[in-house]
Amino acid sequence: MARRLRMLKRRRAFHLRRVMLAAGLWMKLRKRRRCAPRQNPSSPLHATRKADAMDDVEDVMEGAPSDDEIEQLPRGPVRSRRPPSRVVKATAEGKPFDEGEVQCGPKPRKIVLLRSVFEGRPPVVLFSYTQACCAEQRPMDRAVPADEDGPRMFYSHTDAVHQYNAVINILRHGGLYRVRAETNRWTVMWSLHPTPEQLRRFTPVQRANHFPGSFHLGRKDLIWRNLAKMQQRFGKEYQISPQGYILPKAFLAWDAARLRQPEALWIWKPCSQSCGRGITVFSSDVPEDQLRELSKKRGIVQRYIPNPLLIGGRKFDMRVYVVVVSYDPLKVYVNDEGLVRFATEPYSDSVDTLQSRMMHLTNYSVNKQSPAFVQNLDGQGAEDKEDAAIDEAGQPKASKWSLTELKIHFEREGLNFGAMWESMKDLVIKTLISVEEPLKAEWCKTLGCEDGGWSARGPGGAQRSSCYEIYGFDILVDETLKPWLLEVNICPSLSSGSPLDKRIKTKLVADVLTLVGVHPPTALWQLSPDSVHWPVTGSLPIMDENEAASGCLLSEEEMAKRARRIASCESPADALSLFDDIAWELCVVAHEEDMRSGGLMRAFPCPHAARYAHYWDEESYCNIVLRKWQEAGGGAIFRSKKLPPWVPRQVCFNKT
């Protein structure tokens, strides 16, 4: 009977707590308890309060309120003020007594802002590296702290994707608090592709980590379909991926190719699987029962590259992290660090070894099961930290390298890493151009504007720079140092399973969030002009929250007319003379991104962007503007004194 009464009391207490949470009273009660004077431990009242406080345990990181606590707050206005972090009282002697850390609860998270390199331009939130990731901190000379009493900023991380520490820690370290996606109070959303309902509610300052329809890049059958179309038009220029056939539709075509090439090896992959699941390697001599099975299975079969470049007799591939800020204009960045993943068994092209997955597949998920797998400690505890991944015989000590370690190996072996890297960037650019058309169609479809192109905008203000995306390009290098595209991961793993992974991926997330430009509320950076000293006398007016993300508002026809006029100029200088305020705004935004890109290196637009112009059916106005700007000198132009009066003056030249 007593047990039943206790259960009833617990249920009543739980129900009461839920009601108080809904009314917003629970948090007030907790604050009152924390700030109440200490009681005598031996008193009955203290014992009662101690028992009640057992349910008040918080998940606190670096002295900040937990995200679960923030999610349960009532849905008040976005610009709610931060609670005071310190309370100073006077003692009986008249001396100040600080009770902030003892009785005032956890300290608020601190937002750091990054000044623009241009005069009169608004700042963005700076996401610095956490100390735990052991990455060398980016330059902080343009960083200034935001006002602690200013409005909070929020992010949303949905349950649709895995919760990686690299993502959560950087967002919290950057000063953002977590809320549910449906509140629409967030500035950064980390989830799957935004739904039509979500994207149409986006405001101009909100950012999401996926473009609608990027499965055209991530599905193995769809990416090959897009590349095959470009191969038919441009021939060898687009031979960047092994020849493939989408089964079962192209089974007869593949069967004919198999009979013509009896010595060839083939690899079959499911359309939408990852981590090496379902992949098989086989020769052209396929048994009849296996042929019948392949003729019914949905997937893609490709030529297997028989002559991969080997290191220590082992096959490897590269995971290259690529960031797309926008598709029109196409702005592509490649991370300076990536992963080199080794097979754990020595390579052989003998038909008898084709069943050995740990010899022919380089996926981490496959090879980590091998007893020969060795974790990379990223030089921690090694005597020779500069070259800790190579033993005396040139064999890889670890089963995973960084790109820096691969570069060291290339230099030792007399291989041209620079040429291979340039070919790799060419592969990335061509791949992204091949999927631009279907992604544009998906963008219009999601916003319900079929003919708007990339200029289509959502009712709430969503525009072409509302989305960005991190891609994991898996690239294999053959004996001739030619890179081959294996696949593209639109949700690359950001797990921190080793010190190497933790450093590279945490740094990557911080650089990406700083690059895309998370704009704080105007009140946050204008609250304390005496301590922050933001410039206010620029040639262009300071943009507010609704104007922070630039976008061309002209019609497609007008943009095409301007594009043809600029493209017809004989010299880049002549093209610059035709730039209007919209064109210069595109250049200013692009240069601002370059100056806060951290370890991300811009791959496109580039000084030789003209070689890619013919791959588009019609090069867009935005792409032509940035191409001509790059040909004329790029960011160096802003050092000139002969710019139009409406172009803001660059006042800082230090890259962050």
Side-chain angles (χ1 to χ4, degrees), residues 211-282:
F211 288 95
S214 61
F215 53 82
H216 286 279
L217 193 63
R219 283 183 58 102
K220 299 177 181 65
D221 54 344
L222 295 183
I223 188 174
W224 169 249
R225 184 175 298 164
N226 292 312
L227 290 175
K229 291 179 181 177
M230 302 299 278
Q231 279 191 12
Q232 291 176 357
R233 293 176 57 190
F234 303 106
K236 290 185 177 181
E237 296 179 44
Y238 250 89
Q239 287 186 357
I240 57 178
S241 185
Q243 180 65 36
Y245 303 87
I246 301 174
L247 303 185
K249 186 175 181 180
F251 174 78
L252 294 179
W254 169 72
D255 192 42
R258 176 184 67 86
L259 295 175
R260 290 195 304 269
Q261 307 170 67
E263 303 298 326
L265 300 178
W266 305 90
I267 184 169
W268 186 89
K269 306 174 186 177
C271 292
S272 55
Q273 292 292 327
S274 60
C275 301
R277 288 188 289 265
I279 296 178
T280 57
V281 182
F282 50 88

Side-chain angles (χ1 to χ4, degrees), residues 353-409:
T353 66
L354 297 183
Q355 302 303 316
S356 176
R357 292 169 58 81
M358 295 179 183
M359 176 188 297
H360 294 279
L361 302 184
T362 56
N363 303 71
Y364 167 73
S365 302
V366 173
N367 286 280
K368 70 178 182 180
Q369 309 296 335
S370 171
F373 185 86
V374 180
Q375 199 69 268
N376 192 322
L377 300 180
D378 201 24
Q380 299 180 15
E383 296 180 0
D384 185 8
K385 294 186 178 182
E386 294 183 357
D387 197 11
I390 303 287
D391 60 17
E392 296 179 355
Q395 297 290 324
K397 283 185 181 179
S399 300
K400 191 183 287 186
W401 282 0
S402 66
L403 286 176
T404 300
E405 290 166 329
L406 180 66
K407 183 178 181 180
I408 293 173
H409 175 79

Side-chain angles (χ1 to χ4, degrees), residues 244-449:
Y245 303 87
I246 301 174
L247 303 185
K249 186 175 181 180
F251 174 78
L252 294 179
W254 169 72
D255 192 42
R258 176 184 67 86
L259 295 175
R260 290 195 304 269
Q261 307 170 67
E263 303 298 326
L265 300 178
W266 305 90
I267 184 169
W268 186 89
K269 306 174 186 177
C271 292
S272 55
Q273 292 292 327
S274 60
C275 301
R277 288 188 289 265
I279 296 178
T280 57
V281 182
F282 50 88
S283 66
S284 293
D285 186 15
V286 185
E288 288 296 328
D289 56 341
Q290 188 175 351
L291 279 176
R292 286 193 296 270
E293 183 180 356
L294 287 173
S295 66
K296 302 175 183 178
K297 291 176 66 175
R298 183 177 177 84
I300 179 172
V301 60
Q302 289 181 290
R303 279 291 305 269
Y304 183 75
I305 300 174
N307 60 332
L309 181 66
L310 304 179
I311 296 180
R314 300 175 190 272
K315 182 180 177 181
F316 72 93
D317 74 349
M318 299 184 296
R319 167 62 61 85
V320 179
Y321 295 104
V322 176
V323 180
V324 175
V325 180
S326 72
Y327 276 93
D328 184 33
L330 181 61
K331 292 190 280 189
V332 184
Y333 289 81
V334 178
N335 198 38
D336 61 351
E337 274 289 23
L339 297 174
V340 180
R341 307 174 301 180
F342 288 92
T344 50
E345 295 181 8
Y347 178 77
S348 172
D349 59 357
S350 172
V351 176
D352 299 333
T353 66
L354 297 183
Q355 302 303 316
S356 176
R357 292 169 58 81
M358 295 179 183
M359 176 188 297
H360 294 279
L361 302 184
T362 56
N363 303 71
Y364 167 73
S365 302
V366 173
N367 286 280
K368 70 178 182 180
Q369 309 296 335
S370 171
F373 185 86
V374 180
Q375 199 69 268
N376 192 322
L377 300 180
D378 201 24
Q380 299 180 15
E383 296 180 0
D384 185 8
K385 294 186 178 182
E386 294 183 357
D387 197 11
I390 303 287
D391 60 17
E392 296 179 355
Q395 297 290 324
K397 283 185 181 179
S399 300
K400 191 183 287 186
W401 282 0
S402 66
L403 286 176
T404 300
E405 290 166 329
L406 180 66
K407 183 178 181 180
I408 293 173
H409 175 79
F410 269 49
E411 292 172 352
R412 177 188 295 109
E413 299 297 322
L415 302 175
N416 193 338
F417 182 86
M420 184 274 294
W421 190 251
E422 290 300 318
S423 299
M424 184 277 303
K425 289 194 293 185
D426 177 75
L427 175 152
V428 168
I429 295 168
K430 289 177 178 177
T431 302
L432 295 172
I433 292 176
S434 72
V435 300
E436 190 263 340
E437 277 297 324
L439 260 66
K440 180 169 66 174
E442 290 288 344
W443 172 261
C444 297
K445 179 181 177 182
T446 305
L447 288 177
C449 183

Side-chain angles (χ1 to χ4, degrees), residues 463-537:
Q463 34 77 36
R464 66 186 80 200
S465 61
S466 293
C467 302
Y468 63 94
E469 204 150 17
I470 304 174
Y471 300 124
F473 275 67
D474 290 345
I475 296 173
L476 181 73
V477 180
D478 65 18
E479 291 177 342
T480 65
L481 300 187
K482 174 180 172 58
W484 294 92
L485 177 65
L486 301 181
E487 61 178 293
V488 179
N489 296 269
I490 60 174
C491 295
S493 171
L494 297 174
S495 63
S496 306
S498 70
L500 177 69
D501 289 274
K502 187 173 186 177
R503 173 175 63 86
I504 292 176
K505 295 173 183 178
T506 305
K507 181 174 178 290
L508 170 68
V509 173
D511 285 343
V512 169
L513 291 175
T514 304
L515 170 69
V516 299
V518 178
H519 290 270
T522 305
L524 186 62
W525 54 275
Q526 287 186 339
L527 260 178
S528 304
D530 294 336
S531 60
V532 180
H533 297 295
W534 298 109
V536 294
T537 57

